[in-house]
Amino acid sequence: MRKKWTLVGLGSAALLLVPWMVVLGLTLPARTEVRNWSLAWIGLDVLMAAGCAATALLGLRRDPRMRLTASATATAAVLDAWFDITTAQPGAALGQALACAVAEAALACACVALALTERQRPGGRVPAGPARGAASRIATPPEGHS
């Protein structure tokens, strides 16, 4: 039941964000000066590097948490590409941003592929359904009783 209400909440948030985007579109300035510009961009690249490293380390250890870091890294790569393109000046800077976006899209696709892979069980068997950890073996109440 808790999961259902969480999902209803997420759906409601999606709907409420639509008018908020309209407000932002009407009120935000087209141009602005940003402090710590280089720090913001470096921080995003640090986040992507840390995500790549964590995903690689967890993946090499066959740790199923790799799927989480891969998902987060894919998200960071897409965000980096989006902001690279939308903040680039026309001309050479935009061309460079588009080239970087291709590399970031490839990184995001690789991470999504890793995040969606099934975890192998001992003995080489691949589970038929979603991968299950220790937490799923705990008895859960029937639907509607949580």
Side-chain angles (χ1 to χ4, degrees), residues 8-130:
V8 168
L10 287 172
S12 298
L15 291 174
L16 291 171
L17 281 167
V18 173
W20 176 243
M21 288 182 271
V22 172
V23 169
L24 290 177
L26 296 173
T27 61
L28 285 176
R31 301 183 66 142
T32 188
E33 184 175 323
V34 179
R35 297 180 195 263
N36 301 315
W37 182 254
S38 59
L39 181 61
W41 284 109
I42 292 167
L44 190 52
D45 287 338
V46 166
L47 180 65
M48 280 198 312
C52 288
T55 301
L57 181 63
L58 291 169
L60 290 170
R61 292 181 175 178
R62 297 186 179 186
D63 188 322
R65 293 175 294 181
M66 176 226 28
R67 298 169 78 185
L68 299 173
T69 59
S71 297
T73 304
T75 302
V78 169
L79 287 172
D80 195 337
W82 171 261
F83 286 110
D84 279 345
I85 292 168
T86 60
T87 61
Q89 296 293 324
L94 181 57
Q96 181 181 359
L98 290 169
C100 288
V102 170
E104 290 156 346
L107 172 62
C109 287
C111 286
V112 167
L114 287 171
L116 295 176
T117 58
E118 289 288 343
R119 181 172 60 122
Q120 288 235 302
R121 289 187 177 171
R125 294 183 308 140
V126 176

